[in-house]
Each structure stands twice: as C-alpha cells, then as structure tokens.
Amino acid sequence: MPISEMKWQSIATAPKDGQAILLLSAPDEIDGAVRPAKCNIGYWWPEGDSWVDEYGQLGGDCFTLAVTGVWASGMGWFQPNEVTHWMPLPLPPAKEQ
C-alpha cells in the first residue's frame, strides 16, 4: 500500500466487511477528567450491542442494549458514535530468506 494511502479518514468511509483496520476514537470527558483518544486495531461487527435510549438513539441517557453494530477490537468494543477516524493497516514486513 502506498504511504499516501496511510492517512486518517472519516469513519463514514471505513470498510464494514470484517477486515482489520486502525480505529481512532474522539477524546472524551467523564466526571470532569478528560481522557485522550484511543487507537486500536479493530473491525466492524454488525451483531454488536450498543447502549441506546428509548428512541433507539446512541448517546445521551441510555436505557437498553440493542443490536446496532459496533467497532470491535482486542480492547473490547467502541460504541458506533465513539470512533471518528480509521486508517488501513500497513503491510507486514517482508519474509526474511
């Protein structure tokens, strides 16, 4: 993959076919403490559950889990609206002879 393709892209353009990609979340704030953005390798999991309100919307006051799809990673999963950007993974190193 050319290095020119190795840049952060809007999550709206991310593949949802199960391929592994780099995921970047937005920084957030909990109880006045700012947590930095998270970056993990992950993939789109359409059967994943997200917390939604009574109208099925993400964020705000959440009441129930619903199958909305999530960005799964080795560190758990992201709510769909947590991830803001993605990047393709680099090619692995060439096999040594």
Side-chain angles (χ1 to χ4, degrees):
M1 167 178 318
I3 197 74
S4 62
E5 293 180 28
M6 298 296 298
K7 60 182 179 180
W8 290 111
Q9 301 173 51
S10 167
I11 197 63
T13 66
K16 291 188 172 181
D17 59 2
Q19 71 176 287
I21 57 177
L22 282 176
L23 300 169
L24 181 69
S25 72
D28 62 2
E29 184 176 330
I30 294 182
D31 296 329
V34 176
R35 296 188 311 179
K38 297 180 282 188
C39 181
N40 287 310
I41 295 173
Y43 61 94
W44 179 250
W45 182 38
E47 292 85 30
D49 294 334
S50 297
W51 291 103
V52 295
D53 66 18
E54 71 246 49
Y55 306 108
Q57 301 298 309
L58 295 163
D61 292 328
C62 297
F63 300 99
T64 188
L65 281 174
V67 175
T68 60
V70 295
W71 292 103
S73 76
M75 300 298 291
W77 48 267
F78 292 99
Q79 292 274 14
N81 58 344
E82 276 186 281
V83 180
T84 61
H85 292 83
W86 76 282
M87 184 186 306
L89 294 175
L91 294 174
K95 188 174 182 180
E96 292 185 22
Q97 299 292 329

